Amino acid sequence: MTKRAPIEDLGDANLTIAKRKDWAAGVPAVLDTVLMGERQMGLARTTRTLLKLNQVNGFDCPGCAWPDPDPEHRHTAEFCENGAKAVAEEATVRRVTPDFFLHHSVSELATHTDYWLGQQGRLTEPMWKPPGADYYEPITWARAFRLIAERLRSLESPDQATFYTSGRTSNEAAFLYQTLVRRFGTNNLPDCSNMCHESSGSALGETIGIGKGSVLLEDIYAADLIMIVGQNPGTNHPRMLTALEKAKNNGARIIAVNPLPEAGLMRFKNPQKPKGVLGSGTPLADQYCQIKVAGDQAFFKALGSLVLQLEDKRPGEVLDHDFISAYTSGFDAYADHLSSLDWDAVIEATGLSRDEIEDVAEAYAAADRVIICWAMGLTQHKASVPTIQEIVNVQLLRGNIGKRGAGVCPVRGHSNVQGDRTMGIFEKMPDPWLDKLRDAFGFEPPREHGYDTVQAIAALRDGRTKVFFSMGGNFVSATPDTDVTMAAMRNADLTVQVSTKLNRSHAITGNEALIMPCLGRTERDVQASGEQFVSVEDSMGMVHASRGSLAPGSPYLLSEVAVVARLGAELFPNDPHVDWAGMAADYDRIRDKIAAVVNGCADYNVKVRAPGGFALPHPPRDSRTFNTSTGKAMFTTNELQVIHIPPGHLLLQSMRSHDQYNTTIYGLDDRYRGIRNGRRVVFVNPADIRDLGLADGDTVDVVSEWRDGVERRADRFRLVEYSTPRGCAAAYFPEANVLVPLDSVAEKSNTPTSKSVIVRLERVRD
């Protein structure tokens, strides 16, 4: 049985391959920023808007969640190339009006690429696709809310509705949204965290008692050693390069562990400094370990074993025995487990030599303060949770949690994805949190766990979900198993998308569909009590205000808060528990409720108004307090998992191009990897290409195989020679998402295994 992805822009007729870069940013980043701004906004609007980006009285970047420097040390241009592109996409002067939908059917929109859809511009008015129709038509806001409320009330159970959330939603909107959903009676609150850092939260929650990283930006500057694992900061969090440059200038050593040699980990040309514009820039990684895809668990097990061996050679000089004794549990079992480590399996899994790993171990043992950073290169594998637990193990050996310049640092990929979780966007919120919600509002929230993202797709597919409501995001393109997801969405009775721009989820709909256009971060939000601001949480637990400055893109746009509040008022007229209208009128009222419910948010309205915001409490970092089952940080033992690739196959990871943020495609180039005018490419080691009987430049179908017997196929990809590890390959998402089986998920976190898909390549003979 074979399933094919829909074919879009096949062949990439203008695609060319250029020389890849060994440095990031510099003059090209400046030029690309200016060109993108000019195309989307015009130069005057671009300048006016970017000067407000990431400033104390400005708005938070709608791109990544990298933290801002303290207010005294922010640059006038406190943004990166991709952040500027994210702003240009949102603040564009292009518009998608009702007339656009008059000329484009839903079925026609489904034939276009994500890039084409996104380039059409901002949505301006609410639109409705009647049941069975193929065209959207205008609808008033009042009628749209009435329609949604009627459909929700008609369900046999609240659990027949699912409410998705994207990471761009503000704290105020997220908190009110989860209140609405639980007031309605379900915990079906999947979000984008389920697909990215859920594995980090699962691993850290179990081992240190909180599912967040333990470092602040100042710790990066104070570290002796920074390890960057499964992460490409030059594309995905470019402002991190500035922090790494500062750490490097302060004497830090940097070790990169990654399957691909990413330009941003090699050399950084800081466009804010003369050396970055005119000079050669700053070399970053002192050592680069080109690890095989999914080999990180073996790497960190080996690293822990070698650190223990160094302690045996230099007793009392390597391990932090005082920390281990006072603050941890499980050390003896961990050490005993590593005594029988299979080094042959380690070498097979990592593709590294023992000497390479020993060099890292020596550097680790010599550094007093170590930070280990990671991103989705670690979180989207079957063994992601045990992999991150091995990172914790290594850090516990030398007391590298709870001291300045040291810690664990999962780098979140989407602005406020961490804040949404803090605000209660989670299908499994703990009972003490729900108790506080009950006490604050006076209604009893449901306690049965709801659907995560993978479960939500299965529920739609199986007819257990009838209504799908999405607060931001592009669910269809972000999720795995594209054919299954599209069929699942089309199986819904009603799909609702709260969005700023057109995307694929507006073209793959339920029998009935609504588009609810909302304000973006860049725009002024004026409600009954006056101009409002919102708040967000960055990747390191800092919470700060965000204030838009542009006029709304259309007089018909509502804020996300207003969308939630008006739906709440329609669903629950004269609600004795929630003052929906009052909260929409004055966001301070929402923040007062946040203060009553969310740990660490007392006096929220006061603290969030402080320049630079405030840090949420983090017990391991703040006091070496670990709220785990043992009351201490936990060493864990995990069996080594090695993926064995059948002959003639490769292990594929999905990734972003440089002209991309999540599912938003800014352009068709990947400047650092040398790709121009195309995205349907698969990167493979030259020796593997030869062994497979193929040649650089061949057109191939990429086919994944899964135990369900279904072949998932991504058609007509250009084969590109690249310095990937032997046996490994890489391709861009969302184009490669069709290859990821819905049921292939990480242990414990249930995150799709988008970074480890076994595939074969079939030459296409035209």
Side-chain angles (χ1 to χ4, degrees):
M1 178 180 177
T2 297
K3 297 169 69 172
R4 289 183 174 269
I7 298 174
E8 302 169 354
D9 295 348
L10 294 187
D12 288 338
N14 297 318
L15 189 150
T16 59
I17 309 299
K19 184 179 179 181
R20 67 200 62 152
K21 300 286 188 182
D22 61 1
W23 53 270
V27 173
V30 176
L31 294 177
D32 266 18
T33 297
V34 172
L35 289 173
M36 172 69 81
E38 195 280 329
R39 286 197 303 266
Q40 295 279 6
M41 300 187 284
L43 290 178
R45 183 178 172 91
T46 296
T47 302
R48 187 170 67 252
T49 305
L50 292 182
L51 289 176
K52 289 285 189 179
L53 179 56
N54 294 322
Q55 300 300 328
V56 170
N57 292 312
F59 63 93
D60 189 67
C61 181
C64 82
W66 187 252
D68 302 320
D70 63 76
E72 291 76 22
H73 295 93
R74 291 188 195 180
H75 197 279
T76 302
E78 190 57 58
F79 55 84
C80 66
E81 174 190 351
N82 277 4
K85 289 177 180 178
V87 170
E89 288 274 322
E90 181 179 290
T92 181
V93 295
R94 302 173 185 175
R95 297 291 180 263
V96 176
T97 65
D99 186 63
F100 172 90
F101 292 103
L102 186 65
H103 293 89
H104 296 278
S105 68
V106 176
S107 55
E108 185 228 313
L109 292 175
T111 67
H112 289 291
T113 63
D114 289 272
Y115 174 64
W116 186 92
L117 291 167
Q119 291 303 301
Q120 303 312 302
R122 286 291 299 275
L123 296 158
T124 59
E125 296 183 35
M127 304 297 296
W128 172 50
K129 186 187 84 66
D134 197 31
Y135 284 85
Y136 282 102
E137 60 186 56
I139 187 173
T140 65
W141 279 110
R143 188 181 174 205
F145 289 120
R146 188 165 60 249
L147 185 153
I148 298 170
E150 289 172 354
R151 301 298 184 267
L152 289 173
R153 289 196 196 99
S154 69
L155 298 175
E156 295 177 4
S157 163
D159 291 328
Q160 288 185 320
T162 292
F163 299 85
Y164 177 74
T165 318
S166 161
R168 54 144 286 162
T169 306
S170 70
N171 283 346
E172 289 74 12
F175 182 82
L176 198 62
Y177 186 56
Q178 67 81 30
T179 301
L180 169 69
V181 174
R182 293 188 165 105
R183 177 78 177 90
F184 179 61
T186 185
N187 281 311
N188 287 344
L189 279 161
D191 74 330
C192 57
S193 285
N194 298 148
M195 293 179 287
C196 55
H197 272 285
E198 198 68 65
S199 296
S200 299
S202 298
L204 296 177
E206 183 177 329
T207 55
I208 67 171
I210 183 171
K212 300 181 181 182
S214 66
V215 303
L216 296 172
L217 188 57
E218 291 73 20
D219 291 308
I220 299 285
Y221 307 148
D224 298 316
L225 172 65
I226 302 170
M227 296 180 64
I228 302 171
V229 190
Q231 183 185 0
N232 176 17
T235 286
N236 299 331
H237 345 271
R239 283 197 301 153
M240 184 178 180
L241 300 181
T242 303
L244 293 176
E245 180 185 50
K246 185 172 181 178
K248 191 82 174 177
N249 291 337
N250 290 342
R253 179 179 174 84
I254 296 175
I255 297 176
V257 183
N258 206 59
L260 299 183
E262 303 292 9
L265 295 175
M266 299 179 192
R267 192 157 36 105
F268 174 44
K269 293 188 177 183
N270 190 337
Q272 297 175 347
K273 295 182 178 180
K275 181 181 178 181
V277 176
L278 302 175
S280 60
T282 302
L284 291 181
D286 298 279
Q287 182 178 354
Y288 165 51
C289 298
Q290 188 171 23
I291 196 167
K292 283 185 177 180
V293 171
D296 304 280
Q297 187 207 11
F299 176 83
F300 281 102
K301 288 180 81 71
L303 187 58
S305 175
L306 291 170
V307 170
L308 290 171
Q309 291 176 34
L310 290 172
E311 171 68 16
D312 291 338
K313 295 176 183 177
R314 305 195 293 267
E317 297 181 14
V318 178
L319 300 188
D320 188 334
H321 290 283
D322 291 341
F323 176 85
I324 291 171
S325 175
Y327 297 108
T328 76
S329 63
F331 170 76
D332 290 340
Y334 170 70
D336 181 67
H337 174 72
L338 288 187
S339 65
S340 58
L341 181 65
D342 183 347
W343 270 92
D344 288 338
V346 168
I347 301 306
E348 178 188 356
T350 63
L352 303 173
S353 69
R354 181 161 180 157
D355 287 346
E356 286 180 278
I357 304 175
E358 286 179 344
D359 287 345
V360 177
E362 289 284 358
Y364 180 81
D368 290 330
R369 296 164 295 184
V370 180
I371 293 173
I372 302 180
C373 306
W374 69 89
M376 286 188 287
L378 261 63
T379 64
Q380 294 181 324
H381 304 279
K382 185 175 185 292
S384 286
V385 173
T387 296
I388 296 163
Q389 289 178 334
E390 295 296 347
I391 291 176
V392 174
N393 287 337
V394 167
Q395 288 291 67
L396 295 180
L397 289 174
R398 288 183 50 76
N400 275 315
I401 293 180
K403 68 180 179 184
R404 183 172 180 267
V408 290
C409 183
V411 181
R412 309 282 173 164
H414 200 166
S415 174
N416 211 44
V417 62
Q418 187 161 295
D420 284 357
R421 180 59 55 87
T422 301
M423 293 296 116
I425 301 294
F426 188 35
E427 73 278 359
K428 296 181 287 192
M429 287 303 289
D431 282 340
W433 199 96
L434 295 175
D435 290 343
K436 288 188 174 183
L437 185 70
R438 174 199 61 205
D439 296 343
F441 287 102
F443 69 85
E444 183 61 46
R447 304 293 170 136
E448 183 177 353
H449 291 171
Y451 298 140
D452 63 18
T453 295
V454 167
Q455 293 164 340
I457 296 169
L460 283 162
R461 176 196 64 194
D462 299 340
R464 289 177 281 121
T465 289
K466 302 295 185 183
V467 174
F468 179 85
F469 191 108
S470 183
M471 180 60 68
N474 180 3
F475 189 81
V476 169
S477 288
T479 48
D481 218 340
T482 307
D483 285 352
V484 172
T485 297
M486 292 194 302
M489 292 293 281
R490 286 171 169 145
N491 201 36
D493 292 341
L494 171 67
T495 52
V496 182
Q497 306 289 335
V498 180
S499 310
T500 56
K501 296 186 66 187
L502 193 67
N503 65 49
R504 180 157 303 283
S505 295
H506 304 126
I508 310 297
T509 73
N511 186 43
E512 186 175 19
L514 283 164
I515 296 174
M516 316 276 272
C518 65
L519 295 175
R521 291 253 183 99
T522 57
E523 293 166 315
R524 289 194 302 274
D525 182 355
V526 180
Q527 302 296 334
S529 67
E531 192 161 330
Q532 307 295 311
F533 71 90
V534 295
S535 57
V536 295
E537 178 185 345
D538 66 33
S539 192
M540 295 181 179
M542 292 293 298
V543 178
H544 59 275
S546 177
R547 299 172 176 84
S549 59
L550 296 177
S554 162
Y556 300 102
L557 302 182
L558 295 181
S559 71
E560 290 178 321
V561 167
V563 169
V564 176
R566 289 188 61 175
L567 179 56
E570 188 69 42
L571 262 177
F572 306 104
N574 304 312
D575 194 343
H577 300 292
V578 185
D579 180 10
W580 302 105
M583 290 191 175
D586 185 353
Y587 296 177
D588 277 357
R589 299 183 185 184
I590 304 174
R591 288 186 280 269
D592 284 341
K593 293 295 186 181
I594 291 173
V597 175
V598 181
N599 289 338
C601 289
D603 300 320
Y604 194 72
N605 264 311
V606 174
K607 290 192 291 188
V608 81
R609 283 176 162 85
F614 69 98
L616 288 169
H618 191 286
R621 179 192 67 215
D622 300 338
S623 61
R624 286 185 162 173
T625 300
F626 301 95
N627 298 316
T628 67
S629 60
T630 66
K632 296 184 176 184
M634 295 171 58
F635 283 95
T636 54
T637 59
N638 305 285
E639 293 303 314
L640 176 58
Q641 299 184 36
V642 181
I643 299 177
H644 300 285
I645 310 301
H649 292 69
L650 302 169
L651 191 61
L652 177 82
Q653 66 165 350
S654 66
M655 62 184 185
R656 297 173 181 158
S657 76
H658 187 63
D659 261 357
Q660 173 179 4
Y661 196 79
N662 292 340
T663 60
T664 302
I665 313 299
Y666 303 139
L668 299 179
D669 294 345
D670 191 341
R671 186 171 73 241
Y672 296 153
R673 298 190 183 106
I675 304 300
R676 295 284 187 269
N677 296 313
R679 293 182 51 82
R680 299 184 75 84
V681 295
V682 56
F683 300 95
V684 180
N685 187 288
D688 286 326
I689 292 176
R690 289 194 301 271
D691 289 350
L692 293 170
L694 300 169
D696 180 44
D698 278 351
T699 300
V700 297
D701 288 349
V702 187
V703 186
S704 74
E705 302 168 0
W706 182 241
R707 61 192 180 204
D708 59 6
V710 174
E711 287 187 347
R712 293 163 173 85
R713 183 177 296 264
D715 294 295
R716 302 186 66 86
F717 275 53
R718 165 81 173 268
L719 187 57
V720 177
E721 285 188 352
Y722 209 80
S723 54
T724 62
R726 288 298 307 270
C728 301
Y732 300 131
F733 76 85
E735 289 83 359
N737 286 357
V738 67
L739 301 169
V740 185
L742 184 65
D743 297 327
S744 181
V745 295
E747 299 167 352
K748 295 186 179 180
S749 68
N750 214 38
T751 295
T753 58
S754 301
K755 294 291 187 289
S756 50
V757 183
I758 296 175
V759 301
R760 70 175 191 271
L761 306 180
E762 295 182 357
R763 182 189 286 116
V764 176
R765 302 185 186 278
D766 292 321

